[in-house]
Amino acid sequence: MKIIVCENYEEMSAKCTEIFAELIKNKPDCKLGLATGSTPEGLYANLAELYKKGELDFSKVKTYNLDEYYPIKATNDQSYRYFMNDKLFNHINIDKANTFVPNGEAADPDEECRNYEKMLDAMGGVDIQLLGIGQNGHIGFNEPDEKLCCVTHLTDLTESTINANARFFNDVSEVPTKALTMGIGSIFKAKKVVLLASGKNKKDAISQLLDENLTTNNPSTMLKLHNDLVIICDKEAYGE
Ligand code: F6R
């Protein structure tokens, strides 16, 4: 595990941008595992900027997102498909047919999850999986529980996550209570995992990630078993 502690959010985003930009330049047909939420917004803005300057080409890049609310229409401005188009895909030269997000409109969510996992298996793992972290230690929507699921699955969101995400909706009652998410094993198919954390509300989750224990009460702690994990966080999340 490698940990990079940054002064602030901007520096954290810049460090992560360096890692992604280097991969995209060295491997134009790379596969990226992507996340939504507030934390990666700086990274996505930086990547769009580098594309605008002519420094990056996304024409052969493929992307695979971690999760999506269920049920939700892709056109809903709170869907993760909408977020990805709005924050990144609409600003770069990626072919949208090469961007994969679990389908929140699927009639049969279990079938959608099986197909998503099959697709991950068939493509042989992303080069980098980007992760944020929930205040409760969730990664993707793998919430703290007695058991963690290995594969892509339909899950119930915890009250803590629903409350944390209510800031994006008009009212907490509008936050979907379920989601489709890659499982811990799906995330582990990545060759490299980069986890971003910013702000003091992530401090407790990060300090458990940095201690010696594994616990399903903080799913991010499982990442300690991955052989190429980079944590990039700011001082507030690190706890200084
Ligand atoms: C989003 C995701 C979530 C977020 C986490 C942190 O695709 O998988 O695990 O990364 O909820 O969200 P923010 O960045 O909004 O604090």
Side-chain angles (χ1 to χ4, degrees):
M1 178 201 299
K2 183 174 169 194
I3 170 135
I4 303 173
V5 183
C6 301
E7 263 322 298
N8 51 35
Y9 178 82
E10 286 69 31
E11 196 183 312
M12 176 199 78
S13 303
K15 284 266 178 255
C16 188
T17 306
E18 278 171 29
I19 296 174
F20 272 74
E22 194 189 324
L23 172 67
I24 297 162
K25 281 179 192 164
N26 292 338
K27 192 175 177 192
D29 61 347
C30 62
K31 300 182 179 95
L32 306 177
L34 299 179
T36 58
S38 312
T39 314
E41 284 193 34
L43 165 70
Y44 295 156
N46 292 345
L47 291 176
E49 193 58 33
L50 289 175
Y51 165 71
K52 222 165 99 189
K53 286 189 191 154
E55 291 182 31
L56 291 180
D57 173 17
F58 291 84
S59 59
K60 296 193 187 109
V61 172
K62 290 189 176 160
T63 66
Y64 301 83
N65 264 77
L66 281 169
D67 45 16
E68 176 62 283
Y69 289 122
Y70 187 83
I72 198 161
K73 285 201 184 315
T75 49
N76 183 320
D77 63 5
Q78 292 308 328
S79 78
Y80 287 172
R81 162 51 75 184
Y82 187 99
F83 175 100
M84 290 310 304
N85 289 346
D86 187 46
K87 302 291 179 198
L88 184 63
F89 302 151
N90 288 346
H91 309 286
I92 58 177
N93 66 332
I94 199 161
D95 178 351
K96 290 240 178 78
N98 286 338
T99 67
F100 303 94
V101 180
N103 180 7
E105 299 186 51
D108 180 343
D110 295 326
E111 189 186 18
E112 170 62 15
C113 291
R114 278 194 299 275
N115 289 340
Y116 206 75
E117 193 69 30
K118 263 190 215 157
M119 175 185 70
L120 297 177
D121 279 334
M123 62 82 168
V126 293
D127 293 287
I128 296 185
Q129 175 65 57
L130 176 70
L131 296 176
I133 183 168
Q135 292 170 38
N136 62 4
H138 72 217
I139 48 174
F141 276 130
N142 294 276
E143 297 279 31
D145 209 338
E146 261 174 50
K147 290 181 185 171
L148 297 174
C149 184
C150 243
V151 295
T152 305
H153 60 286
L154 177 68
T155 188
D156 291 317
L157 301 182
T158 60
E159 210 182 319
S160 148
T161 298
I162 292 170
N163 289 334
N165 289 4
R167 69 192 193 278
F168 299 114
F169 293 80
N170 294 323
D171 187 82
V172 66
S173 63
E174 289 177 16
V175 185
T177 57
K178 289 181 187 293
L180 307 171
T181 181
M182 284 191 199
I184 302 293
S186 333
I187 293 170
F188 266 70
K189 287 171 184 161
K191 297 179 180 74
K192 183 185 194 77
V193 176
V194 176
L195 182 140
L196 298 182
S198 165
K200 55 181 183 301
N201 59 350
K202 302 293 170 71
K203 190 179 129 218
D204 293 346
I206 290 292
S207 66
Q208 284 184 339
L209 172 56
L210 296 177
D211 75 19
E212 293 166 348
N213 303 315
L214 303 177
T215 170
T216 59
N217 290 325
N218 177 335
S220 75
T221 61
M222 299 299 151
L223 296 171
K224 290 176 229 194
L225 299 173
H226 196 281
N227 59 15
D228 191 355
L229 168 66
V230 181
I231 300 166
I232 312 177
C233 62
D234 64 14
K235 279 185 167 173
E236 283 193 346
Y238 187 66
E240 269 181 36

